[in-house]
Amino acid sequence: SQQGEEDPQALSIQEGENATMNCSYKTSINNLQWYRQNSGRGLVHLILIRSNEREKHSGRLRVTLDTSKKSSSLLITASRAADTASYFCATDASGGNNRLAFGKGNQVVVIP
Amino acid sequence: DGGITQSPKYLFRKEGQNVTLSCEQNLNHDAMYWYRQDPGQGLRLIYYSQIVNDFQKGDIAEGYSVSREKKESFPLTVTSAQKNPTAFYLCASRDRQGPSEQYFGPGTRLTVT
C-alpha cells in the first residue's frame, strides 16, 4: 500500500510563528487528509483535500496539494501552545478499497 | 453523545496469553478499522471491516484476529502468536457513503511482559 511521508519529522517553534509540514506519496489518490494526535490520544481529523483541489483553508490551517509532484503541505498560522501535537498525513488511494495510508507523523512543539 | 470508545485505556498481559481489545461506535458507521502505532512508525493497518460479518486483513494482520458480528462493535484479539504485541492500538470508523475521513477512538495501550 502507498504511504505518506512527512518532512520534517520534528519541529519546534515559538508561539505566534507559522509551522509548515510536508507530505509526499507514491500513487494516485482520491484525496489526502491531515490528522492531529495529542500525546497518548486518538487522532483527530483536521482537513481533507480532494485530488482536483490545489488549496484549502480551515481556520488557521492551510493545505496545498500538488498532484504532479505527489506532495502536500500543511501550514498552521499564528501557532499556539495548544497546537503542540503530532500531525499525520493520510492518503485515500484511487481504487475504492476504503483504506487510508498514514505517514509517520510530524511532531510539533509550540513554545509559549 | 456520539463517538467511538475503546476499553480499557491501559492493558497489561503476560506473554502467551490472548487478549481482546474492545471498540464500540454509535456513529452508525459501516466501516471500522484497527491500527497499531509504534513510536516513530506512524499507523499501520491491522484489519478492517466495511460491513457486518465481513472483514479484510490489513498490512500487519499476522497474530491478530477480529470479528464483526454487530455494526457497532469490532473487537480485536491479540493472540500469543503476535511476536511483539506491546503497542498503542487505535480503532477508527467511517461512514462509507460520505467523505473518507475516519473517526478515532482514544486508543488502548497494551503492554505484554
Side-chain angles (χ1 to χ4, degrees):
Chain A
S1 61
Q2 64 179 300
Q3 200 159 23
E5 294 186 4
E6 291 90 350
D7 173 53
Q9 296 290 308
L11 187 61
S12 183
I13 57 174
Q14 295 289 329
E15 201 165 31
E17 293 181 339
N18 295 342
T20 300
M21 289 152 270
N22 298 307
C23 170
S24 60
Y25 56 93
K26 294 183 172 66
T27 62
S28 296
I29 61 171
N30 289 323
N31 62 69
L32 184 143
Q33 303 173 34
W34 286 91
Y35 289 79
R36 183 187 74 228
Q37 184 182 35
N38 290 92
S39 182
R41 304 282 191 93
L43 277 69
V44 174
H45 182 265
L46 294 176
I47 194 165
L48 180 153
I49 186 165
R50 299 184 198 283
S51 60
N52 62 353
E53 297 176 312
R54 292 296 166 259
E55 188 171 310
K56 201 161 183 181
H57 297 254
S58 177
R60 294 183 295 112
L61 304 179
R62 173 176 166 255
V63 170
T64 62
L65 179 65
D66 186 335
T67 52
S68 67
K69 295 181 179 176
K70 292 187 169 56
S71 68
S72 173
S73 68
L74 171 67
L75 168 68
I76 305 173
T77 61
S79 64
R80 305 167 182 169
D83 294 327
T84 294
S86 293
Y87 293 83
F88 294 86
C89 73
T91 50
D92 181 0
S94 305
N97 62 6
N98 294 311
R99 293 174 49 156
L100 293 180
F102 284 85
K104 294 183 179 181
N106 259 288
Q107 188 171 5
V108 175
V109 175
V110 181
I111 303 164
Chain B
D1 198 18
I4 181 164
T5 58
Q6 293 183 244
S7 61
K9 188 169 178 60
Y10 299 97
L11 194 52
F12 298 88
R13 280 293 183 270
K14 294 289 187 186
E15 204 171 301
Q17 293 179 334
N18 291 355
V19 59
T20 298
L21 281 60
S22 166
C23 178
E24 304 278 332
Q25 54 97 1
N26 61 4
L27 300 167
N28 200 34
H29 287 169
D30 286 309
M32 297 186 74
Y33 305 80
W34 273 107
Y35 296 92
R36 171 184 171 133
Q37 186 177 30
D38 295 283
Q41 292 201 39
L43 274 67
R44 292 184 290 169
L45 183 65
I46 305 172
Y47 268 98
Y48 65 109
S49 168
Q50 299 195 55
I51 54 171
V52 175
N53 293 322
D54 185 55
F55 49 82
Q56 290 83 39
K57 291 182 180 180
D59 300 318
I60 55 163
E62 185 175 348
Y64 299 97
S65 65
V66 294
S67 63
R68 187 82 188 278
E69 297 175 2
K70 297 187 300 181
K71 189 175 186 177
E72 309 80 42
S73 179
F74 190 40
L76 173 74
T77 297
V78 184
T79 75
S80 56
Q82 168 50 233
K83 292 183 175 23
N84 186 18
T86 294
F88 189 50
Y89 290 88
L90 286 159
C91 180
S93 70
R94 63 158 283 203
D95 178 0
R96 281 208 309 158
Q97 304 305 320
S100 59
E101 63 184 90
Q102 293 185 7
Y103 294 77
F104 282 81
T108 291
R109 188 167 297 280
L110 173 65
T111 302
V112 177
T113 58

